[in-house]
Amino acid sequence: MDNVFHEIDGDSVKINTLVKSEGLKLSMEDVPKLKPRPSDEDSVRDQENQLQDAFENLLDNIGEDKNRQGLLKTPARAAKAMLFFTKGYEETISEILNDAIFDEDHDELVIVKDIEMFSLCEHHLVPFMGKDCRNV
């Protein structure tokens, strides 16, 4: 049987998993810290502009005409999409959980179905999304 415990410490969560059958110990403590994203309006706008320039450069380098009517707003849309796909970098566990952890006196499994998820493949920078739809 797996032994999982969660320790809430301010805005961070340490999730340590001990898998008895395999004798493995996995820890989230080794996950690298990311630099904080800008929060003031001018810095956020500057970040979006830098991303937009990068997407314009990308279009140029694959041979597209960034001034073509269908691509005029693509760099701005792609920059906003990239910020959306990576928004989890700036979210804290406290914001996500919203104090939804309770001490209960039972040992039964709680099942949450139809959890929507999305992420970004770090190797290809391609978004993927879906929903947990396991039949339990």
Side-chain angles (χ1 to χ4, degrees), residues 42 44-54 79:
D42 289 338
V44 169
R45 194 174 310 111
D46 185 48
Q47 182 185 35
E48 284 185 21
N49 289 338
Q50 289 179 34
L51 282 169
Q52 185 172 336
D53 291 345

Side-chain angles (χ1 to χ4, degrees), residues 16 35 64 81 94 113:
N16 295 306
K35 68 178 186 174
E64 276 288 356
S94 298
K113 295 170 59 174

Side-chain angles (χ1 to χ4, degrees), residues 25-131:
K25 183 174 181 180
L26 308 171
S27 176
M28 294 297 290
E29 293 173 359
D30 296 326
V31 175
K33 300 281 185 203
L34 298 169
K35 68 178 186 174
R37 286 194 176 183
S39 57
D40 64 281
E41 207 171 301
D42 289 338
S43 296
V44 169
R45 194 174 310 111
D46 185 48
Q47 182 185 35
E48 284 185 21
N49 289 338
Q50 289 179 34
L51 282 169
Q52 185 172 336
D53 291 345
F55 280 108
E56 286 178 4
N57 189 32
L58 180 98
L59 289 172
D60 282 341
N61 281 290
I62 62 171
E64 276 288 356
D65 176 10
K66 66 183 179 197
N67 296 314
R68 185 166 56 84
Q69 184 179 7
L71 293 178
L72 286 175
K73 296 182 181 178
T74 296
R77 285 190 298 262
K80 288 181 191 269
M82 182 62 71
L83 290 172
F84 177 78
F85 287 131
T86 59
K87 74 182 181 117
Y89 292 156
E90 61 196 34
E91 294 177 329
T92 66
I93 195 69
S94 298
E95 292 169 340
I96 294 168
L97 293 178
N98 196 24
D99 293 326
I101 295 183
F102 311 99
D103 291 325
E104 296 292 331
D105 188 29
H106 65 80
D107 60 356
E108 298 168 353
L109 181 65
V110 175
I111 297 173
V112 180
K113 295 170 59 174
D114 298 328
I115 299 171
E116 292 185 2
M117 54 72 75
F118 64 90
S119 191
L120 195 65
C121 170
E122 70 177 6
H123 302 289
H124 304 97
L125 296 179
V126 177
F128 57 91
M129 52 202 74
K131 185 186 284 192

